[in-house]
Amino acid sequence: MSELLVYIRMRHKVEVKANQHVKVGELAQIIAEPLIREKIIHLPIHQVKPSDKNFVLIDVMKVIIAISEAVPHSDVQSIGAAQTILEVKMKSKRIEPVYFVFIWLLLFIGAGMAIMNFHEDVSMREVHQRMFTTVTGNEIAKPLLLQVPYSIGLGLGMIIFFNHVFRKRLNEEPSPLEVEMFKYQQDLDQYITHHENSESETKLNDH
């Protein structure tokens, strides 16, 4: 009897819920004959348990074994990644308005203090005074003609830098913060893949 070709591509990361029964079709993309594919995508592969905590790593070998048992004469070919990370989404608690206001004030005051300390370190007030004197020829203690546009430009510059106005994105280009968060997520996924995979290391006993 000829072997049935089955191609699978493991997804990088899948969000799951607590106590969810995860099926092969949720973990991987499947290419096979329609009837075989329909059978494979409904194969149970893992049930999320409280002991799994936040992350579970499913290796492609576990999926291949499950498919081979369900479809005995199948030839399973794996393409792409060898593991899928299951990220268990817990029920998020609702933030009380008091805590929201407290955190907002804390961040607002902290950001303001950071900007003021920076301006004090570089003597920004004296720089504005000198620029005003150079341009107009008059000496003034508070050159608001420069300070007000500078303050507005500072806020606009931060909006352009972070590429967001509240939740609205200015354009499709990612902001530097989003790029750094992406790099951090990549490092985190790589760490999880290495440390959650018990088959990645084999210890040889001394004889």
Side-chain angles (χ1 to χ4, degrees):
M1 184 176 180
S2 61
E3 292 184 335
L4 300 172
L5 279 174
V6 178
Y7 296 95
I8 64 172
R9 178 186 292 236
M10 301 290 286
R11 293 184 170 91
H12 176 66
K13 181 182 288 187
V14 177
E15 292 185 0
V16 296
K17 299 178 181 178
N19 302 317
Q20 178 178 338
H21 291 270
V22 184
K23 300 176 182 178
V24 172
E26 297 167 335
L27 292 177
Q29 294 174 290
I30 310 293
I31 297 178
E33 293 181 5
L35 292 177
I36 301 299
R37 181 181 182 277
E38 191 67 20
K39 183 178 181 180
I40 291 173
I41 62 176
H42 291 99
L43 288 176
I45 199 71
H46 183 78
Q47 181 180 3
V48 182
K49 303 181 293 293
S51 58
D52 291 332
K53 298 182 180 179
N54 298 104
F55 297 100
V56 184
L57 191 70
I58 304 297
D59 194 84
V60 68
M61 296 301 294
K62 187 174 181 179
V63 177
I64 292 175
I65 291 172
I67 295 175
S68 299
E69 291 176 351
V71 187
H73 299 286
S74 61
D75 180 14
V76 184
Q77 301 289 332
S78 175
I79 304 171
Q83 297 95 11
T84 295
I85 299 173
L86 300 183
E87 184 177 359
V88 183
K89 286 295 183 182
M90 304 296 183
K91 290 183 178 180
S92 57
K93 297 181 179 179
R94 183 175 177 273
I95 300 177
E96 296 294 334
V98 175
Y99 292 112
F100 175 80
V101 173
F102 174 75
I103 295 172
W104 184 85
L105 286 175
L106 187 65
L107 294 175
F108 181 80
I109 295 172
M113 291 293 294
I115 293 173
M116 288 189 292
N117 288 333
F118 168 75
H119 286 168
E120 187 66 25
D121 289 340
V122 299
S123 302
M124 187 63 68
R125 182 179 179 180
E126 295 180 5
V127 171
H128 284 166
Q129 290 173 343
R130 292 176 182 175
M131 290 178 61
F132 188 84
T133 302
T134 302
V135 173
T136 64
N138 300 322
E139 292 186 4
I140 187 172
K142 296 181 179 180
L144 298 179
L145 191 62
L146 289 179
Q147 292 176 339
V148 172
Y150 172 79
S151 300
I152 296 174
L154 184 64
L156 292 176
M158 292 179 67
I159 291 174
I160 295 173
F161 180 80
F162 288 107
N163 197 25
H164 276 83
V165 180
F166 297 104
R167 293 186 177 182
K168 186 177 180 181
R169 182 189 292 269
L170 299 180
N171 53 57
E172 295 183 357
E173 183 179 349
S175 68
L177 181 60
E178 290 173 324
V179 173
E180 290 301 319
M181 289 298 294
F182 176 76
K183 290 180 180 179
Y184 169 77
Q185 190 63 53
Q186 280 189 317
D187 293 339
L188 179 62
D189 292 344
Q190 187 176 0
Y191 176 88
I192 294 170
T193 301
H194 179 74
H195 286 81
E196 291 287 334
N197 190 0
S198 58
E199 300 295 330
S200 63
E201 295 182 2
T202 302
K203 295 183 180 179
L204 299 178
N205 296 325
D206 294 332
H207 296 286

